Amino acid sequence: MMRSSVLVSAAVAALLVCTLPVEAADTGPLKVGFLTVRSGALAAGGRQMEEGLKLCIDEHHGEMAGRKIEVITADTAGQPAVTKTKAQELVERDGAQVLIGPLAAFEALAIDEYIRQTKTPIISPSAAAEDLTQRKPNPWFVRAVGTSAQPYHPFGEYAAKELHYKKIAIIADDFAFGHEIAAGFQRTFEQNGGKVVQKLWSPLNTAEYGTYITQIDPSVDAVFAAFAGGNGIKFLSEYKNYGMQKPVLGSMTTVDEGILKRMGDEALGVISAGWYSAATDTPTNKKFVAAMRKAYGADPGYYSVGAYMACQFLNNALEQVKGDTSNKEAFMKALRNVNITDSPYGPVKIDKYGQPLLDITIRKVEKKDGRLQNVVIKTYPAVSQFWTYGAEEFLKSPVYSRDWAPAK
């Protein structure tokens, strides 16, 4: 009688196990929601992001780790409210399992809470808002590019120690990206003996820069200009037309390859910093540049290589989980564990906050092979978002902003 009861119990237990819901492996087409900009001041960057993403998808023949990749594109118009709506539509209506985008820092901040609530993995190909990987790290966010300030910590040091500038005026776009770029540069420039004597903030949609250019302190050694989208074109052209002679230092996006092709001699000699240059002399980058030129007739820059690398992050993570994204936590862990030994901008490793360590290059605009190029003149290898301060020390300070650090 005892043996019979045991057998019945075992059979019941087996039946229960068989009927318990099992999380099936997700191996169908992977839906990737892509947040880009197709209108407004940032549209040129959005178009370049689309080009970089498409090149990567095409290189993988539309398939990664055995999964077909289905990209669903949404235009945010560069507006935070629209970005939030589009992110919701991609996830809730279209069933996107991972997001790539958006372009601007203020857009990423607008959807930060939604990403946390829905636990949607997101890879940033451009948006560089510092606190998303610093004081308020989003566990579902990983960035494939530098933070706003990451290239400008070494650049501030370079301007003081190697260019020997003592006084600099800053002019920058008046939004988070411009604020954080300016502050990162200022922090290390002043720690190495320089002084930022003036900061001018221009709206993102500024029509002309004459009123700002005429305010520049004539006693400065150089002007540091931090612009996004096509604003660098307008500023450098007007700077030359006003007869300004002071050297110009630039953010990566001020003389980005995406707009450099539309500039003339006014861009020659501009020294900038960034985590990528189309002129980087490595076999992998040469192959990437050749592919972009063949497909789109132009050199890749900030936005195109950022989207290309976001796509490579996706591939790397999918390979780690063998294409199975049914366990979102495991997939997100894989995205945070991306380790790419060779890429267009060098080796890439991710810190515990979801931010890559990147080689930062100092570049100078020169005319080479009939085109304007950001020729690399110095490289700082494996630069952390925290520079040399260390995470604990760095995070004690306020996030970089319009007013911090203050100009002296």
Side-chain angles (χ1 to χ4, degrees), residues 72-352:
I72 308 163
T73 301
D75 176 16
T76 68
Q79 300 295 325
V82 177
T83 304
K84 187 173 181 180
T85 298
K86 294 298 182 181
Q88 291 172 326
E89 290 176 356
L90 287 170
V91 173
E92 298 170 23
R93 183 190 66 192
D94 301 317
Q97 295 146 287
V98 59
L99 298 177
I100 292 178
L103 186 150
F106 52 76
E107 293 181 294
L109 293 169
I111 63 172
D112 178 44
E113 189 57 37
Y114 179 74
I115 295 302
R116 294 173 190 265
Q117 290 173 355
T118 58
K119 299 183 177 180
T120 303
I122 184 168
I123 311 167
S124 172
S126 167
E130 298 269 305
D131 257 1
L132 289 175
T133 57
Q134 291 181 9
R135 294 156 195 81
K136 303 173 184 176
N138 186 329
W140 297 94
F141 177 94
V142 66
R143 193 162 13 224
V145 295
T147 68
S148 303
Q150 196 166 351
Y152 307 105
H153 292 135
F155 196 29
E157 178 183 281
Y158 180 87
K161 294 177 70 173
E162 301 195 35
L163 296 178
H164 305 293
Y165 292 149
K166 299 297 183 185
K167 296 169 64 178
I168 280 180
I170 292 176
I171 178 169
D173 285 327
D174 194 6
F175 73 117
F177 186 55
H179 303 159
E180 293 175 354
I181 288 173
F185 175 89
Q186 178 184 346
R187 184 175 188 175
T188 55
F189 180 65
E190 293 187 338
Q191 285 180 347
N192 285 278
K195 183 180 290 187
V196 170
V197 299
Q198 186 179 32
K199 288 197 279 192
L200 302 171
W201 305 109
S202 53
L204 185 59
N205 60 352
T206 295
E208 60 85 24
Y209 288 93
T211 55
Y212 298 96
I213 291 169
T214 55
Q215 293 180 56
I216 293 172
D217 187 331
S219 72
V220 299
D221 299 315
V223 175
F224 178 57
F227 297 112
N231 289 344
I233 300 173
K234 292 185 289 184
F235 174 78
L236 289 175
S237 176
E238 292 178 39
Y239 192 82
K240 180 183 178 182
N241 289 341
Y242 271 82
M244 301 295 287
Q245 300 297 315
K246 301 293 184 181
V248 175
L249 305 180
S251 64
M252 181 177 177
T253 45
T254 297
V255 285
D256 179 61
E257 282 83 353
I259 57 173
L260 199 56
K261 60 190 176 185
R262 295 162 55 192
M263 295 183 184
D265 289 350
E266 68 274 11
L268 287 172
V270 173
I271 297 176
S272 62
W275 36 262
Y276 178 72
S277 167
T280 299
D281 190 13
T282 64
T284 300
N285 188 52
K286 286 181 176 179
K287 181 180 176 181
F288 171 64
V289 171
M292 287 294 293
R293 286 177 182 170
K294 181 178 179 181
Y296 302 107
D299 285 348
Y302 181 102
Y303 301 102
S304 48
V305 75
Y308 178 86
M309 285 302 295
C311 174
Q312 297 293 14
F313 273 40
L314 176 63
N315 177 66
N316 189 284
L318 286 172
E319 288 181 343
Q320 291 180 55
V321 297
K322 297 180 170 48
D324 182 8
T325 56
S326 58
N327 185 328
K328 291 203 298 185
E329 286 77 9
F331 177 54
M332 193 64 224
K333 183 178 180 182
L335 278 173
R336 287 291 187 93
N337 195 43
V338 163
N339 186 354
I340 299 175
T341 57
D342 192 17
S343 80
Y345 47 75
V348 178
K349 287 186 177 181
I350 308 294
D351 68 19
K352 69 177 184 178

